[in-house]
Amino acid sequence: MSEDLLRHEKLFIGGEWVAPTDGEVVASINPSTGKEWATAAYAGTADIDRAVTAANEAFRGPWRKMSGTDRSNILRRLGDLYAANAGRLAELESSDNGMPIRDSRAGIAGHPQYYYYYSGLAANISGRNIQLDPSVHVYTTREPVGVVGMITPWNAPLQTVMWKMAPALAAGCTMVIKPAEQTPITAFELAKLAAEAGVPPGVINVVPGLGSTAGAHLVGHLGVNKISFTGEHRTAMEIMKGASVNLKRLSFETGGKSPHIIFDDADLEQAINAATHSAFALCGQSCALGSRLLVHESVYDKVVNEIASRSTRVRIGNALDPSTQMGPQAHDEQLQKTLRYLDIGRNEGARLVVGGERINSMGDGYFVKPTVFADVTNSMRIAREEIFGPVVGVIKFKTEEEAVAIANDTEYGLVAGLWTQNVGRAHRVAAQIQAGMVWVNTYRYLRYNIPYGGYKISGLNRENGSEGLEPYFETKSTIINLTGNYADAYAQ
Ligand code: NAD
């Protein structure tokens, strides 16, 4: 192994860095080069047991007794530390998963605000006083749900952990974080910052590892009260089964096949810009991209040709190069999946306008050409299944009703975009779309205080906003008889 590798060969359990007991140390590959750049500890099932025990001890210990104000102060410090370390975090993220450095810098610059927002909510947790009857005093309290198993994907490692960790800390939960096996590094860095911010030992434990062993063990563990998961819906379905052992609380953020609709009355220049960006940003590896582009017949040819032409100007390169607009696929398995779908699209009769192949001139990196398929119908697999590569399928429609019907004809329901200058149409269509977020004349506008999550197989519960805090609470109702006479209270 090379001397200049970044080494993260210990797990973070109970506030200490410990060697895996039944896990191992593995190589982490930089997808821009296809070469090893770091080493990471993977947890085995015994390591997961240790982490769950530490999280339970911390939950019953000082953390449970800490006030919301104290947790709020810790979250604010964590936001400050995160901001101070943003540059380094962005470089690590881009090395680990191939996100262009300009995107990781821009994304990470907004992350501290999430910690500050949940810091504010931590200091403002309250229940309700239910004024039912003068003979009883009824009130609700919000209690942390307990130990949360957090299982996250490789496409946005820091963001997906943060979207769970910040509200869980605000609510007073403790957590066992299992980042994706392909991108284990940045969660370790986050654990360091959290400890520096004053998060007590055992509140945050970081145990990367394989989904089938470490992940499944965490899901089935009786010492875990809730699973908060981001990843594929098929994995969520497995988790739902495994988590049934003690009816764990569940939150899922899963995939999308999001409709991006361009009406004939759209500002075409802006719509085409957004459609190009939302097709190829992050090399197609975001749940929220507009991979199903629905275009009105009167502007169809213009839109297809323009996106195809702009796709050839996208600057593709090493994720750490600041001029790179599109990096590689994050790992070899994802590369192979995308290449399979390029064949599927060709074979099922879609018209390949541009792209359609791996870029072989860029060494061992996992690069694919931005790809536009036209004449796509909504029954084709490339229109129904999540590819997660830089591939957009363009579907033609004639009427507003048809656009809505095609948009909703999918198992998914994460996000949608629509471009129109008719305000009535904007509201009418937004109301009919079955998705957790609808953008009108913009795309991928995500903020800490806007709830995010999916309809149908795209998710369960919401993240961000005050709605993102709710799933980390149990609600307790307390009813106190004020009469001193049980019979009187019962008689109501
Ligand atoms: P994945 O489901 O394969 O893996 C996600 C995580 O689950 C990993 O940590 C993995 O180790 C773990 N895992 C796998 N099998 C498991 C099991 N049986 N039990 C417990 N854990 C298990 O997903 P991925 O390929 O890493 O990520 C891509 C997917 O994530 C896409 O579908 C994408 O749309 C989705 N995603 C959704 C959002 C969102 O906010 N909705 C955000 C990012 C990614």
Coordinates of all heavy atoms in Angstrom, one line a residue, residues 14-59:
G14 N -18.4 4.6 20.7 CA -18.3 5.0 22.1 C -17.3 6.1 22.3 O -16.8 6.3 23.4
G15 N -17.1 7.0 21.3 CA -16.2 8.1 21.4 C -14.8 7.7 21.2 O -13.9 8.6 21.4
E16 N -14.5 6.5 20.9 CA -13.1 6.1 20.7 C -12.9 5.5 19.3 O -13.8 5.0 18.7 CB -12.7 5.0 21.7 CG -12.6 5.6 23.1 CD -12.4 4.6 24.2 OE1 -12.2 3.4 23.8 OE2 -12.4 5.0 25.3
W17 N -11.6 5.6 18.8 CA -11.3 4.9 17.5 C -10.8 3.5 17.8 O -9.8 3.3 18.6 CB -10.2 5.8 16.8 CG -10.7 7.1 16.4 CD1 -10.6 8.3 17.1 CD2 -11.5 7.4 15.3 NE1 -11.3 9.3 16.5 CE2 -11.8 8.8 15.4 CE3 -12.0 6.7 14.2 CZ2 -12.6 9.4 14.4 CZ3 -12.8 7.3 13.3 CH2 -13.1 8.7 13.3
V18 N -11.5 2.5 17.4 CA -11.2 1.1 17.7 C -11.1 0.3 16.4 O -11.8 0.5 15.4 CB -12.3 0.5 18.6 CG1 -12.4 1.3 19.9 CG2 -13.7 0.6 17.9
A19 N -10.1 -0.7 16.5 CA -10.0 -1.6 15.3 C -11.2 -2.5 15.2 O -11.8 -2.8 16.2 CB -8.7 -2.4 15.5
P20 N -11.6 -2.8 14.0 CA -12.7 -3.8 13.8 C -12.4 -5.1 14.5 O -11.2 -5.6 14.4 CB -12.8 -3.9 12.3 CG -11.9 -2.9 11.7 CD -10.9 -2.4 12.7
T21 N -13.3 -5.7 15.1 CA -13.1 -7.0 15.7 C -13.3 -8.1 14.7 O -12.5 -9.0 14.5 CB -14.0 -7.3 17.0 OG1 -15.3 -6.9 16.7 CG2 -13.5 -6.5 18.2
D22 N -14.5 -8.1 14.1 CA -14.7 -9.1 13.1 C -14.9 -8.5 11.7 O -15.4 -9.1 10.8 CB -16.0 -10.0 13.4 CG -17.2 -9.2 13.6 OD1 -17.1 -7.9 13.7 OD2 -18.3 -9.8 13.5
G23 N -14.6 -7.2 11.6 CA -14.6 -6.5 10.3 C -13.3 -6.6 9.6 O -12.5 -7.6 9.8
E24 N -13.0 -5.6 8.7 CA -11.7 -5.7 8.0 C -11.3 -4.3 7.6 O -12.1 -3.3 7.8 CB -11.8 -6.6 6.8 CG -13.0 -6.2 5.9 CD -13.2 -7.1 4.7 OE1 -12.2 -7.7 4.3 OE2 -14.3 -7.1 4.2
V25 N -10.1 -4.1 7.0 CA -9.7 -2.9 6.4 C -9.7 -3.0 4.9 O -9.1 -4.0 4.4 CB -8.4 -2.4 7.0 CG1 -7.9 -1.2 6.2 CG2 -8.5 -2.1 8.5
V26 N -10.4 -2.1 4.2 CA -10.5 -2.3 2.8 C -9.9 -1.0 2.0 O -9.8 0.0 2.6 CB -11.9 -2.5 2.3 CG1 -12.5 -3.7 2.9 CG2 -12.8 -1.3 2.7
A27 N -9.7 -1.2 0.8 CA -9.2 -0.1 -0.1 C -10.4 0.7 -0.6 O -11.4 0.1 -0.9 CB -8.4 -0.7 -1.3
S28 N -10.3 2.0 -0.6 CA -11.3 2.9 -1.2 C -10.8 3.4 -2.5 O -9.6 3.9 -2.6 CB -11.6 4.0 -0.2 OG -12.9 4.5 -0.4
I29 N -11.6 3.3 -3.5 CA -11.1 3.7 -4.9 C -11.6 5.1 -5.3 O -12.8 5.4 -5.0 CB -11.7 2.7 -5.9 CG1 -11.3 1.2 -5.5 CG2 -11.3 3.0 -7.3 CD1 -9.8 1.0 -5.5
N30 N -10.7 5.9 -5.8 CA -11.1 7.2 -6.4 C -11.6 6.9 -7.8 O -10.9 6.5 -8.7 CB -9.8 8.1 -6.4 CG -10.1 9.4 -7.0 OD1 -11.0 9.6 -7.8 ND2 -9.3 10.4 -6.7
P31 N -12.9 7.2 -8.0 CA -13.5 6.9 -9.3 C -13.0 7.7 -10.5 O -13.1 7.3 -11.6 CB -15.0 7.1 -9.1 CG -15.1 8.1 -8.0 CD -13.9 7.9 -7.1
S32 N -12.3 8.8 -10.2 CA -11.7 9.6 -11.3 C -10.5 8.9 -11.9 O -10.2 9.2 -13.1 CB -11.3 11.0 -10.9 OG -12.4 11.8 -10.5
T33 N -9.9 8.1 -11.1 CA -8.6 7.5 -11.5 C -8.7 6.0 -11.6 O -7.9 5.3 -12.2 CB -7.5 7.8 -10.6 OG1 -7.8 7.3 -9.3 CG2 -7.2 9.3 -10.5
G34 N -9.7 5.4 -10.9 CA -9.8 4.0 -10.7 C -8.8 3.4 -9.8 O -8.6 2.2 -9.7
K35 N -8.1 4.3 -9.1 CA -7.0 3.8 -8.2 C -7.4 4.0 -6.7 O -8.1 4.9 -6.3 CB -5.7 4.7 -8.5 CG -5.3 4.7 -9.9 CD -4.2 3.8 -10.2 CE -3.6 3.9 -11.6 NZ -4.6 3.7 -12.7
E36 N -6.7 3.2 -5.9 CA -6.9 3.3 -4.4 C -6.4 4.7 -4.0 O -5.3 5.1 -4.3 CB -6.1 2.2 -3.8 CG -6.2 2.1 -2.3 CD -5.4 1.0 -1.7 OE1 -4.8 0.2 -2.4 OE2 -5.4 0.9 -0.4
W37 N -7.2 5.3 -3.1 CA -6.7 6.6 -2.6 C -6.8 6.7 -1.1 O -6.2 7.5 -0.4 CB -7.5 7.8 -3.1 CG -8.9 7.9 -2.5 CD1 -10.0 7.1 -2.7 CD2 -9.3 8.9 -1.5 NE1 -11.0 7.5 -1.9 CE2 -10.7 8.6 -1.2 CE3 -8.7 9.9 -0.9 CZ2 -11.4 9.3 -0.3 CZ3 -9.4 10.7 0.0 CH2 -10.7 10.4 0.3
A38 N -7.5 5.7 -0.5 CA -7.7 5.7 1.0 C -8.0 4.3 1.4 O -8.3 3.4 0.6 CB -8.9 6.6 1.4
T39 N -7.8 4.1 2.8 CA -8.2 2.8 3.3 C -9.3 3.1 4.4 O -9.3 4.1 5.0 CB -7.0 2.0 4.0 OG1 -6.5 2.9 5.0 CG2 -6.0 1.7 3.0
A40 N -10.1 2.1 4.6 CA -11.2 2.3 5.5 C -11.5 1.1 6.3 O -11.5 -0.1 5.7 CB -12.5 2.8 4.8
A41 N -11.9 1.2 7.6 CA -12.3 0.1 8.4 C -13.8 -0.2 8.0 O -14.6 0.7 7.9 CB -12.2 0.5 9.9
Y42 N -14.0 -1.5 7.9 CA -15.4 -2.0 7.7 C -15.8 -2.7 9.0 O -15.0 -3.5 9.5 CB -15.5 -3.0 6.6 CG -15.7 -2.5 5.2 CD1 -15.6 -1.1 4.9 CD2 -16.2 -3.3 4.2 CE1 -15.8 -0.7 3.6 CE2 -16.4 -2.9 2.9 CZ -16.3 -1.6 2.6 OH -16.5 -1.1 1.4
A43 N -17.0 -2.5 9.4 CA -17.5 -3.2 10.6 C -18.0 -4.6 10.3 O -18.7 -4.8 9.2 CB -18.6 -2.4 11.3
G44 N -17.8 -5.6 11.2 CA -18.6 -6.8 11.1 C -19.7 -6.8 12.0 O -20.0 -5.7 12.7
T45 N -20.4 -7.9 12.2 CA -21.6 -7.9 13.0 C -21.3 -7.6 14.5 O -22.1 -7.0 15.2 CB -22.4 -9.2 12.9 OG1 -21.6 -10.3 13.2 CG2 -23.0 -9.3 11.5
A46 N -20.1 -8.1 15.0 CA -19.8 -7.9 16.4 C -19.5 -6.4 16.6 O -19.8 -5.9 17.7 CB -18.6 -8.7 16.8
D47 N -18.9 -5.8 15.6 CA -18.7 -4.3 15.7 C -20.0 -3.5 15.8 O -20.1 -2.5 16.5 CB -17.8 -3.8 14.5 CG -16.5 -4.5 14.5 OD1 -15.8 -4.6 15.5 OD2 -16.1 -5.0 13.4
I48 N -21.0 -4.0 15.0 CA -22.3 -3.3 15.0 C -22.9 -3.5 16.4 O -23.4 -2.5 17.0 CB -23.2 -3.9 14.0 CG1 -22.7 -3.7 12.6 CG2 -24.7 -3.4 14.1 CD1 -22.8 -2.2 12.1
D49 N -22.7 -4.7 17.0 CA -23.2 -4.9 18.4 C -22.6 -3.9 19.3 O -23.3 -3.3 20.2 CB -22.9 -6.4 18.9 CG -23.8 -7.4 18.1 OD1 -24.8 -7.0 17.6 OD2 -23.4 -8.6 18.2
R50 N -21.3 -3.7 19.2 CA -20.6 -2.8 20.1 C -21.1 -1.4 19.9 O -21.3 -0.7 20.9 CB -19.1 -2.8 19.8 CG -18.3 -4.0 20.3 CD -16.8 -3.6 20.4 NE -16.2 -3.5 19.1 CZ -15.0 -3.0 18.8 NH1 -14.2 -2.6 19.8 NH2 -14.5 -3.0 17.6
A51 N -21.3 -1.0 18.7 CA -21.8 0.4 18.4 C -23.2 0.6 19.0 O -23.5 1.6 19.5 CB -21.8 0.6 16.9
V52 N -24.1 -0.5 18.8 CA -25.4 -0.3 19.3 C -25.4 -0.3 20.9 O -26.2 0.5 21.5 CB -26.3 -1.5 18.8 CG1 -27.7 -1.5 19.5 CG2 -26.5 -1.5 17.3
T53 N -24.6 -1.0 21.5 CA -24.5 -1.0 23.0 C -24.0 0.4 23.4 O -24.6 1.0 24.3 CB -23.4 -2.0 23.5 OG1 -23.9 -3.3 23.1 CG2 -23.3 -2.0 25.0
A54 N -23.0 1.0 22.7 CA -22.5 2.3 23.0 C -23.6 3.4 22.8 O -23.8 4.3 23.7 CB -21.3 2.7 22.1
A55 N -24.4 3.2 21.8 CA -25.5 4.2 21.5 C -26.5 4.1 22.6 O -27.1 5.1 23.0 CB -26.0 3.9 20.1
N56 N -26.8 2.9 23.0 CA -27.8 2.7 24.1 C -27.4 3.3 25.4 O -28.1 3.9 26.1 CB -28.2 1.2 24.3 CG -29.3 0.8 23.3 OD1 -30.5 1.2 23.6 ND2 -29.0 0.1 22.3
E57 N -26.1 3.1 25.7 CA -25.5 3.6 27.0 C -25.6 5.1 26.9 O -25.9 5.8 27.9 CB -24.1 3.1 27.2 CG -24.1 1.7 27.7 CD -22.7 1.0 27.7 OE1 -21.7 1.7 27.4 OE2 -22.6 -0.2 28.1
A58 N -25.2 5.7 25.8 CA -25.2 7.2 25.7 C -26.6 7.7 25.8 O -26.9 8.8 26.4 CB -24.6 7.6 24.4
F59 N -27.6 6.9 25.2 CA -29.0 7.4 25.2 C -29.5 7.5 26.7 O -30.2 8.4 27.1 CB -29.9 6.5 24.4 CG -31.3 7.0 24.3 CD1 -31.6 8.2 23.6 CD2 -32.3 6.3 24.9 CE1 -32.8 8.7 23.5 CE2 -33.6 6.8 24.8 CZ -33.9 8.0 24.1

